[in-house]
Each structure stands twice: as C-alpha cells, then as structure tokens.
Amino acid sequence: KSYRVAILGATGAVGTELIDLLATRNFPLESLKLLASPRSAGRTLSFRGETLPVEPVAEGCFNQVDVVLASAGGSTSKTWAPKAVAAGAVVIDNSSAFRMVPEVPLVVPEVNPEAAATHQGIIANPNCTTILMTVAVWPLHQVQPVERLIAATYQSASGAGARAMEEVKIQAQQILNGQDPKPELFPYPLAFNLFPHNSPLNDQGYCQEEMKMVNETRKIFSAHDLRVSATCVRVPVLRAHSEAINLEFKQPFPVEKAREVLQTAPGVKLVEDWSTNYFPMPMEATGKDEVLVGRIRQDLSHPCGLELWLCGDQIRKGAALNAVQIAELLVEKDWVKPREVALSQ
Ligand code: A2P
C-alpha cells in the first residue's frame, strides 16, 4: 500500500526539510504534491531527481491526497486543514492552531504514539521546544513521575521560519561591516544578541511560547497537574534549540540511573565527556535526528532534583521529522483513516 502525500508550506524551512525526509526515508509514497502560497506559483523544487511544481493552495487541491503534512502557519492551517479532512485526507499539522483542541491528538511518537489512534482527521505536531524536551524527559518520567519541571530555552532563529534565519545572517554581516543591524521579522537585532521570546505575554507575565511548553507537555504526558515553568529565549543560532532542564521528583533520582535510562531511550543520544567539558552543542545537533542530552547531574539545591542539558535540531526533530514519524506511525498501524471511516469502509 502506498500513499499520496501533500506538503502545505513546501517552500518554507520545515517544508524543505519535509521534502528531504520523504526523499531519504522509507515512507511508502505514491505521489507528492507541493503546496505553498500564490507567491510561490511557478516555482519548482526537486525531489529524488525529479522537478516538481509548487502549486498555490486552492479549493479542490486535496482531492486525491491521503496525507497532508502542513507547515504554513496557524491561519493557513485553520483555513485549509478542515477542507483537507473533508476531502478525505489526514492532516499532520505543525502549527499551533489545533494543538490544544481536546479531540486533536498531540503526538510525539517516542512518547504517546497511542494517542494518534483516536484522530478524527487532524493530528497536531507539538511545539518544537516541547517535542525536544518531552523526548528527553519522558523516559525518566516512566521510572519516576516528574513532580515539577523548570526549563530555560536557548532557541534558534529557524523557529520563526526560513526568512528569520536569513535575517540573522544579514544582521551578522551588517555588524561585521560596522553598520547597525536591521530587525525586520524579529523585533530586535538577534545577531550577537539575544532576547526573551517575543510571542504575546499573558497577565502572569509568561509568553505564548512558554505557555506552549506548560500546556503541551501536560497534554502529551497526560499529566494534567504537572507543574511546569519555562523561560524561553531567542539566541543567534540558526537551527538547533538548546534547553536547560531542572526536574524535581518525589524521591531522589540517582544520576547513574538517569544516565542508564537515557542511554537506551528512543530518539535520545547521550553526549557527555566530563573530562573535556564536552556536552551537547547546537552546532552538533544540527542535521541530526536525535535529541542530544548531557550534563546530567544532581541538583545541588534539592535532594530530589536532577539537572540536564539538551540540544536538538528545531527543524528536524522539532518539526519535520516528528511529523514524518507520525505519518510513518499511521501507516504502520493502519491508522491513516479515522477509525469510524475505516470501519465504515
Ligand atoms: P510561500 O513561500 O509561498 O510564502 P517559513 O515557516 O519558513 O516562513 O515558511 C512558511 C511556509 O508557509 C512557506 O512555504 C509559505 O509559502 C507557506 N505559506 C505562508 N502563508 C501561506 C498561505 N496563506 N497559503 C499557503 N501557504 C502559505
């Protein structure tokens, strides 16, 4: 059995990675359709040596499509995902549009694959920092439930898209040329700088990105009382996020046990050489599928606390790879069609 796939947002940072992943992984692909905005009409992209046209998303374009991988922003998903579902496709949506809708599964395949079984046409791909964090924390949470999680993030420009990555490079050039860096997409200069994440703030002083980490982690873990607090910061790194994570358990969690668990955890690569201070770095996480984890140590300030550090490719596991893994999961389990549709056929 093979599947007809469409990528919505094919020209973007995540879309480009989706094309690359479909070209190199074993997904049973019958056909691939590339969709973007009318701005991209006339463009072509190459896939496995073939030249494919980029088509503007339009009414009827999801007929004859089984799986849509959408990464074109929340408002585009809100408009087009229901139309794709009505046309019979399953949509794996990378935007935040549907993540907190109760009927929409929010899936990290290493963590809660079974949640995908109940989809009704849309499956949400979580926020990138949340995906990376849950891959590393879930295996520990299985040994002993996490009571409280505190995260500080160091987030790359890619989270704001391909143009944002260009903006940092241009600003770096401007600064090296002695010019003032010009912010366009970002509110402030990012090259040689950093700033707290610029998503909208709530009344409690948390930004939207931080609240995604709180709410999405609870949903993915099915741990609705889990205490989570995050500080999200944008840093001048191109495409891998880093995170400092503090975990608090009920009982002490021996560092050796944590190391042993993470050594074999799916999607995790332990990166630690204490003799040379060699630990995960965004440059080394770039292009990798695994979340790199290291600096696992007992929290000096709390007997039941554990500290760890991680880096992961934001475009890959933080977005495109997770979406493709969800598609692979649906195929493997025969969950592409919603259960009631599958039963009625
Ligand atoms: P386009 O290149 O035609 O603007 P990124 O996250 O890297 O900024 O990429 C966003 C992706 O979403 C691009 O492929 C972009 O296409 C696509 N996109 C943005 N707005 C729309 C829209 N209104 N309809 C369809 N695709 C869109």
Side-chain angles (χ1 to χ4, degrees):
K1 202 163 168 188
S2 56
Y3 297 84
R4 299 162 297 182
V5 175
I7 298 176
L8 175 56
T11 51
V14 175
T16 306
E17 198 70 20
L18 286 167
I19 295 173
D20 185 48
L21 286 163
L22 288 177
T24 51
R25 290 172 73 93
N26 248 348
F27 189 84
L29 198 64
E30 183 178 318
S31 60
L32 181 63
K33 191 170 200 170
L34 304 180
L35 300 166
S37 81
R39 290 180 291 273
S40 296
R43 277 188 68 182
T44 57
L45 292 168
S46 89
F47 178 74
R48 290 182 177 160
E50 261 183 84
T51 302
L52 299 182
V54 179
E55 301 169 44
V57 62
E59 295 294 337
C61 71
F62 298 109
N63 297 337
Q64 319 291 323
V65 171
D66 302 305
V67 180
V68 179
L69 301 170
S71 193
S75 59
T76 307
S77 283
K78 276 197 180 124
T79 306
W80 293 100
K83 294 178 196 264
V85 173
V90 58
V91 179
I92 300 167
D93 182 37
N94 194 47
S95 82
S96 59
F98 302 103
R99 286 181 192 151
M100 296 313 295
V101 175
E103 309 76 64
V104 173
L106 184 64
V107 177
V108 178
E110 290 86 346
V111 177
N112 61 338
E114 67 293 338
T118 60
H119 81 83
Q120 295 168 25
I122 300 177
I123 297 178
N125 208 36
N127 160 268
C128 46
T129 37
T130 309
I131 293 178
L132 302 174
M133 180 172 81
T134 56
V135 168
V137 173
W138 178 252
L140 303 173
H141 185 71
Q142 296 308 283
V143 176
Q144 208 194 136
V146 175
E147 302 248 295
R148 181 167 178 235
L149 187 164
I150 299 174
T153 71
Y154 307 67
Q155 299 186 215
S156 61
S158 53
R163 281 173 52 226
M165 295 165 79
E166 278 313 300
E167 181 164 321
V168 189
K169 291 190 206 165
I170 292 166
Q171 288 177 353
Q173 288 285 4
Q174 288 167 335
I175 291 172
L176 293 176
N177 292 341
Q179 299 160 337
D180 285 337
K182 282 196 193 52
E184 286 181 13
L185 253 157
F186 288 124
Y188 309 108
L190 187 56
F192 301 103
N193 192 24
L194 54 82
F195 46 81
H197 200 282
N198 58 295
S199 48
L201 297 164
N202 68 14
D203 292 345
Q204 293 163 297
Y206 281 81
C207 71
Q208 219 168 57
E209 184 80 358
E210 292 161 351
M211 291 316 295
K212 287 177 186 175
M213 292 186 78
V214 175
N215 296 323
E216 295 185 20
T217 303
R218 288 174 170 170
K219 180 167 174 176
I220 296 163
F221 280 15
S222 294
H224 301 287
D225 309 323
L226 181 63
R227 288 181 289 156
V228 181
S229 180
T231 301
C232 292
V233 177
R234 190 74 79 183
V235 297
V237 168
L238 285 180
R239 57 172 284 168
H241 287 353
S242 304
E243 303 179 34
I245 312 278
N246 181 280
L247 302 171
E248 192 183 315
F249 301 89
K250 214 181 211 97
Q251 307 287 333
F253 200 123
V255 169
E256 275 320 313
K257 178 71 185 167
R259 215 166 265 143
E260 183 194 312
V261 167
L262 290 171
Q263 194 94 51
T264 53
V268 171
K269 184 169 183 218
L270 207 55
V271 175
E272 287 190 319
D273 182 348
W274 291 81
S275 66
T276 56
N277 270 26
Y278 173 71
F279 299 112
M281 288 179 269
M283 205 175 256
E284 294 200 344
T286 293
K288 294 222 168 67
D289 287 352
E290 297 88 5
V291 178
L292 310 185
V293 183
R295 295 211 74 205
I296 304 164
R297 62 205 191 280
Q298 155 86 52
D299 177 351
L300 269 185
S301 72
H302 198 294
C304 304
L306 208 57
E307 296 273 8
L308 57 87
W309 169 252
L310 65 84
C311 297
D313 189 312
Q314 184 273 330
I315 305 179
R316 216 166 166 90
K317 181 57 187 170
L321 174 63
N322 198 71
V324 171
Q325 286 175 316
I326 294 173
E328 290 170 348
L329 171 72
L330 297 182
V331 165
E332 184 196 319
K333 303 279 190 189
D334 202 14
W335 291 341
V336 173
K337 292 270 175 239
R339 212 180 256 160
E340 41 305 4
V341 175
L343 288 175
S344 68
Q345 280 175 350

